[in-house]
Amino acid sequence: MEVKRITLPEDLEHAYRIRKKVFVEEQGVAAEVEIDEHESQADHILVYYEGEPVGTSRVRNVDGVAKLERICLLPTHRKHGLGRLLVSELEAIAREKGLKKAKLHGQVQAKAFYEKLGYTAVSDVFIEEDIPHLLFVKEL
């Protein structure tokens, strides 16, 4: 298992393929909204398992707060601690940039996962792309 910050266009393409498979094909998010106007402002990462990219996420500074986004793993690689690696690396990037707080829009079904990582749900359920979400926050 290895986490790598994306610096090469071909690595970003791996990330986009994983996101398409998870969010568009598996969860029904519209393809035209999955890749958005924030791609170039975000730091992107990939997680590898046995040399293959199997998960991705990104983080960006939104008004002085680290916003963790597009956290996903291929279905075959969930429940192995790789999601924890993704979030940990995003938090490290945020700290390097001097950010002291993180937030994310997490799917309701992942609430226990985010709580285990120290995040607190601070909103009522809201819908994004027809999927129930909560706003989570954490002091870094």
Side-chain angles (χ1 to χ4, degrees), residues 83-85 87-88 91 112-119 138:
R84 177 183 299 271
L85 275 178
V87 172
S88 177
E91 292 173 351
F113 167 74
Y114 291 119
E115 288 175 339
K116 272 192 237 170
L117 299 180
Y119 286 82
K138 178 181 178 180

Side-chain angles (χ1 to χ4, degrees), residues 20-70:
K20 180 180 179 208
K21 190 175 266 323
V22 172
F23 294 122
V24 177
E25 295 171 15
E26 180 184 342
Q27 298 184 348
V29 172
E32 57 272 11
V33 300
E34 176 45 37
I35 306 298
D36 66 16
E37 69 275 14
H38 304 298
E39 303 298 340
S40 63
Q41 297 124 31
D43 289 285
H44 299 260
I45 60 175
L46 283 168
V47 65
Y48 291 81
Y49 185 80
E50 296 181 352
E52 292 296 316
V54 297
T56 188
S57 54
R58 72 182 191 190
V59 61
R60 60 191 178 96
N61 181 340
V62 177
D63 300 322
V65 176
K67 185 158 190 255
L68 285 54
E69 301 174 316
R70 306 301 202 269

Side-chain angles (χ1 to χ4, degrees), residues 79 104-125 132-136:
K79 308 286 185 201
L104 61 93
H105 294 180
Q107 294 181 12
V108 170
Q109 51 89 12
K111 183 175 190 270
F113 167 74
Y114 291 119
E115 288 175 339
K116 272 192 237 170
L117 299 180
Y119 286 82
T120 302
V122 295
S123 73
D124 291 329
V125 173
H133 284 74
L134 290 163
L135 173 62
F136 291 89

